[in-house]
Amino acid sequence: MSVFDPRICTLGEGALWHPERRALFWFDVAGRRLLSRCPETGETHDHALPEICSAAAWIDRDRLLIASETGLSVFDLEAGRFLLRLADLEADNPDTRTNDGRADPWGGFWIGTMGREAEPGAGAIYRLYGGDLRRLFDNISVPNGICFAPDGSCAYHADTDRGLMFRTALNRNGWPQAEPEPFVDFSRIGFWPDGAVTLSDGSLRVALWGEGAVIAVSPVGEVGARKTFDAPQTTCPAMGGEDYLTLFCTSAAQGLSPARIAEAPLSGAVFAVEETVPGRPEPAFRPGPA
């Protein structure tokens, strides 16, 4: 384990490896910042954002789709500003914000919302695809762990508050064709799943809030080995780097006592560790018609 970026985020989230820029992007949700670092050149960026943002997908070299507390918009990386609003997202509800999200293999984007105080059942998960924004699931407290099987057969998501991860079968256009089914009940072993990513072999890597770790989960839901980090609140993993063998993980300092931060001063930094199984390039989001 090594520190990939020492800049401290109050609530680091939304790790995304950009395959064309060969750089990691992530958010400080509470700090309203988009950060990035290229490991090859050491180049870093820190963009101030006008509202809370939590997740992104790459569109091309210079544009990201970014999920903010009120909608889904195109962001220009060179100009450092938003260009275009694609869809409003619970913009009429000031009590919610976005949380975890990820592009799907069809060029769509899944995004979760939650209550600002993590009120039970206040959140939902949506999909934007071909200009069509639909609510997929509701009655979720803290939506996390959104990721997809390499063959596109299913999607995963978690409700951190319940300690549950679900699996949902998808049709040929990436829409759910069945209700979500329980995949892993982390609460039975005292874990709380946060962000997740799938690797090339179909296994998952799931960040564990409060455990300072990312845990391996097999395609059939068997819990495996853990990789630990010097921050108790690990939030979102991403695969990238050379041959996609580097596991990056964001973390958070939010809610930790001064004594706990003194014990773990890297809380809020981004970490990196090598994997033995490669990840996969994240699919690009396609803003046009399906």
Side-chain angles (χ1 to χ4, degrees):
M1 184 275 298
S2 64
V3 177
F4 174 70
D5 192 287
R7 288 174 288 177
I8 298 301
C9 293
T10 303
L11 180 54
E13 268 288 7
L16 168 71
W17 178 261
H18 195 304
E20 293 190 0
R21 286 184 171 254
R22 299 188 61 80
L24 187 76
F25 288 81
W26 69 99
F27 296 92
D28 183 352
V29 176
R32 300 187 179 188
R33 296 187 294 158
L34 170 65
L35 302 94
S36 68
R37 176 180 289 272
C38 175
E40 295 174 357
T41 66
E43 182 180 1
T44 63
H45 293 281
D46 191 332
H47 298 286
L49 300 169
E51 57 182 327
I52 288 174
C53 300
S54 62
W58 72 283
I59 298 172
D60 51 34
R61 179 176 176 80
D62 295 329
R63 296 182 298 162
L64 298 180
L65 173 73
I66 288 184
S68 76
E69 58 189 311
T70 58
L72 300 169
S73 304
V74 177
F75 186 84
D76 187 298
L77 290 168
E78 293 301 312
R81 63 183 178 88
F82 286 102
L83 298 177
L84 176 68
R85 174 66 64 96
L86 298 182
D88 291 330
L89 189 64
E90 298 185 3
D92 58 346
N93 185 353
D95 297 325
T96 61
R97 66 165 178 85
T98 57
N99 200 45
D100 189 65
R102 191 178 295 276
D104 66 34
W106 294 265
F109 187 74
W110 291 43
I111 181 66
T113 62
M114 60 178 286
R116 292 180 186 270
E117 303 300 324
E119 293 87 350
I125 292 178
Y126 297 80
R127 185 193 190 207
L128 177 63
Y129 177 63
D132 183 13
L133 180 69
R134 298 185 196 175
R135 180 183 291 197
L136 304 180
F137 319 120
D138 54 17
N139 195 33
I140 301 171
S141 299
V142 183
N144 267 311
I146 294 172
C147 57
F148 304 91
D151 63 1
S153 61
C154 67
Y156 302 94
H157 77 273
D159 189 340
T160 303
D161 188 60
R162 298 168 63 190
L164 288 173
M165 178 161 268
F166 299 88
R167 177 172 55 192
T168 305
L170 304 176
N171 67 20
R172 61 185 181 88
N173 293 314
W175 294 105
Q177 64 179 6
E179 291 298 310
E181 60 180 19
F183 180 58
V184 181
D185 185 354
F186 286 99
S187 70
R188 297 180 60 184
I189 48 179
F191 293 158
W192 309 106
D194 205 301
V197 66
T198 51
L199 276 57
S200 59
D201 65 351
S203 65
L204 294 81
R205 298 296 182 269
V206 184
L208 300 175
W209 178 267
E211 292 294 318
V214 171
I215 197 164
V217 177
S218 77
V220 295
E222 297 171 337
V223 174
R226 286 196 285 173
K227 296 185 184 296
T228 59
F229 303 91
D230 291 335
Q233 295 177 162
T234 36
T235 52
C236 186
M239 297 298 297
E242 180 124 13
D243 299 324
Y244 287 85
L245 283 169
T246 302
L247 172 71
F248 301 98
C249 189
T250 52
S251 67
Q254 181 172 282
L256 295 177
S257 68
R260 191 70 182 94
I261 290 177
E263 295 173 351
L266 292 172
S267 294
V270 180
F271 301 91
V273 65
E274 292 305 298
E275 268 284 357
T276 56
V277 178
R280 303 172 296 124
E282 288 291 325
F285 171 75
R286 298 199 300 264

